Amino acid sequence: MIAIVKYNAGNILSVSYALDRLGYKNIITDDPEIIQRSEKVILPGVGEAHTSMQYLRDKELDKTLLSLTQPTLGICLGMHLMCSFSEEGHTTCMKVFPNKEHSLILDSGALALIDANQGFGQIMGEKSVQEGTNRAKNHGIALIGLKNSGHLGRIGDWSELAADKNCVSLHFVNVRGSLLVAPYGGSDRRGSTSPLSIGIPVKGKEHVILDMATSTVAEGKALVAQKGGKKLPMSALIDNLGNLTNNTEALYGKIGPDDVPNPDKGDGAITAFGMHKGSGINFMMEILGGALTSNDTCAIDHKNIRPFANGMLSIYIDVEKFVDVDYFSKEVQDYSNFVRSSPPAEGVEKVMIPGDNEKNIYNDRMQNGIPIAQEAWNLITLRAKSLGVDDLNRFQNAIL
């Protein structure tokens, strides 16, 4: 039996319905004894931290949750409440996971440098955007450095947040401690996938978001290909002899059926996008996101691997302080339509601008689900059986 903790939060019934469709018995309860006896516990919820935490304390459910030894999953607000502190009502939470407070180590008008102190990237990235857009509103432009951050995730998220504030933004990201990418003309790893994102707000319309790795493919694409998914372009990887390839063995080495792909095991590399020009941009991402923010570049040799951290240098421009907003939005829309209307080349369905493909994929996934390569599904099935999970067909039936 799975216990779903009942407390002052929304979206709890949807978790119960999902478990019902997957064939798992569950109960929504705030009874400590039932929660303690359950095989697994879920703390879901949508709401505000202060009132929800107060309800848990009033029912002494915080003590119950902290005493559990069985698998316990926090979802959305539930995970939030497992942290040490929430800025919503300045609330002390359950302290399962420590919060890391950021430090503002440069505060000078339009300039700021934030030390994330290895805090969660999803939190520190948002703080960086808030700092940048607030300063851009005051000064017209802002330059924000972020160092020592946990994984920042999809960098396009930060471009979208800035665009919601009517700010154009540019984000240059480095990955300290990650060596995956070969420079143009080289055959071993000297850089990382170092993502770049640019966000353009369009009044009354969807934002235009460029979000890309500065390698030919992101490492995740290679992982998908290794598990039988979409093949990589022929020049996406390079082996240690300098031969271009799409064989993921160059990146991961030889992998047995029970092995987890590890990019540290391969002796090849991912190539930088765009030949020498893309390689130059990949190089500059380390300088801007790593050296200028004092996050450190990804590496300076192969012997002393630096600890992981993301660094990000971001520029924010308040559109309305620089140009007429209506003119800007119309010009962006008109140019976007002009580019899209180009006659497609042979083998191309239609011409797209940055962000179009991601929107198409998102709409397809929402309608048809997430495709999983057969080899990946076979591995999931084998692992599930080894853990005693039977009848995996119910996962497929649940989305029909």
Side-chain angles (χ1 to χ4, degrees):
M1 176 71 73
I2 298 175
I4 302 171
V5 180
K6 176 184 175 182
Y7 67 114
N8 188 26
N11 208 32
I12 290 178
L13 281 174
S14 62
V15 175
S16 179
Y17 294 152
L19 292 173
D20 287 341
R21 295 186 70 180
L22 293 172
Y24 287 106
K25 293 182 179 180
N26 64 89
I27 182 172
I28 298 174
T29 180
D30 59 2
D31 186 323
E33 291 187 7
I34 295 176
I35 294 171
Q36 288 174 332
R37 290 199 308 266
S38 298
E39 295 176 26
K40 298 178 178 67
V41 176
I42 298 178
L43 180 67
V46 172
E48 188 266 335
H50 181 74
T51 54
S52 298
M53 197 65 221
Q54 189 60 53
Y55 184 96
L56 292 177
R57 290 196 177 100
D58 289 345
K59 294 278 188 177
E60 296 192 344
L61 290 174
D62 57 332
K63 296 178 181 178
T64 300
L65 290 167
L66 290 171
S67 71
L68 298 178
T69 57
Q70 61 266 56
T72 302
L73 173 66
I75 301 175
C76 198
L77 176 61
M79 178 63 76
H80 189 166
L81 298 180
M82 291 182 180
C83 294
S84 299
F85 178 79
S86 172
E87 292 182 356
E88 294 178 352
H90 299 282
T91 304
T92 299
C93 299
M94 288 188 283
K95 301 183 180 181
V96 176
F97 306 113
N99 294 71
K100 293 285 188 177
E101 291 298 321
H102 68 290
S103 305
L104 197 60
I105 57 179
L106 171 64
D107 181 0
S108 180
L111 305 178
L113 180 57
I114 301 168
D115 190 337
N117 297 312
Q118 300 301 139
F120 289 125
Q122 291 295 307
I123 295 173
M124 297 303 168
E126 186 169 343
K127 289 182 182 296
S128 177
V129 175
Q130 291 171 348
E131 197 72 48
T133 54
N134 288 342
R135 289 173 189 258
K137 292 298 178 184
N138 289 331
H139 302 283
I141 191 169
L143 180 67
I144 308 296
L146 177 67
K147 61 183 286 188
N148 296 324
S149 175
H151 199 298
L152 286 167
R154 175 178 171 265
I155 307 306
D157 283 349
W158 315 130
S159 296
E160 289 174 353
L161 283 178
D164 286 343
K165 299 294 185 180
N166 203 35
C167 286
V168 169
S169 63
L170 302 86
H171 307 271
F172 309 96
V173 179
N174 96 307
V175 191
R176 187 181 74 202
S178 172
L179 283 175
L180 291 171
V181 177
Y184 181 72
S187 60
D188 73 345
R189 307 176 187 194
R190 301 293 165 122
S192 190
T193 54
S194 303
L196 162 69
S197 184
I198 301 174
I200 307 295
V202 184
K203 184 179 179 181
K205 302 289 183 180
E206 290 186 317
H207 309 316
V208 178
I209 306 294
L210 171 70
D211 184 14
M212 55 177 279
T214 54
S215 50
T216 302
V217 294
E219 195 263 324
K221 301 288 187 183
L223 185 60
V224 170
Q226 196 280 327
K227 292 303 179 187
K230 183 178 178 181
K231 288 187 176 181
L232 299 177
M234 186 58 199
S235 59
L237 306 175
I238 189 168
D239 65 24
N240 64 330
L241 299 177
N243 301 307
L244 295 175
T245 181
N246 64 352
N247 185 347
T248 55
E249 193 173 301
L251 188 63
Y252 298 116
K254 291 187 179 297
I255 300 174
D258 296 325
D259 294 338
V260 176
N262 182 347
D264 293 336
K265 299 292 181 64
D267 53 12
I270 305 174
T271 56
F273 86 104
M275 301 177 67
H276 60 287
K277 295 181 180 180
S279 185
I281 293 174
N282 179 268
F283 175 87
M284 288 300 180
M285 301 298 287
E286 287 299 323
I287 304 305
L288 296 175
L292 190 56
T293 63
S294 68
N295 185 61
D296 300 335
T297 58
C298 58
I300 54 174
D301 59 45
H302 285 100
K303 296 178 181 179
N304 303 300
I305 303 301
R306 291 172 164 174
F308 172 86
N310 275 154
M312 181 167 70
L313 184 74
S314 303
I315 301 170
Y316 299 88
I317 303 168
D318 184 5
V319 173
E320 63 184 0
K321 280 188 166 56
F322 197 78
V323 67
D324 180 77
V325 172
D326 291 327
Y327 159 80
F328 178 74
S329 296
K330 184 177 184 303
E331 196 71 3
V332 172
Q333 291 179 67
D334 288 348
Y335 185 64
S336 300
N337 293 334
F338 176 61
V339 171
R340 289 187 179 111
S341 66
S342 176
E346 185 176 351
V348 177
E349 182 178 350
K350 61 181 178 180
V351 176
M352 294 184 282
I353 66 167
D356 281 354
N357 189 50
E358 288 77 8
K359 292 172 188 173
N360 292 339
I361 292 172
Y362 174 82
N363 291 332
D364 177 74
R365 299 290 192 268
M366 292 299 291
Q367 182 175 350
N368 301 312
I370 300 173
I372 299 178
Q374 188 61 50
E375 184 178 344
W377 180 248
N378 291 342
L379 290 171
I380 291 171
T381 302
L382 287 172
R383 182 55 55 89
K385 287 181 177 178
S386 72
L387 296 173
V389 179
D390 299 319
D391 189 22
L392 288 183
N393 288 333
R394 68 182 184 277
F395 290 99
Q396 296 173 323
N397 296 334
I399 62 173
L400 296 179

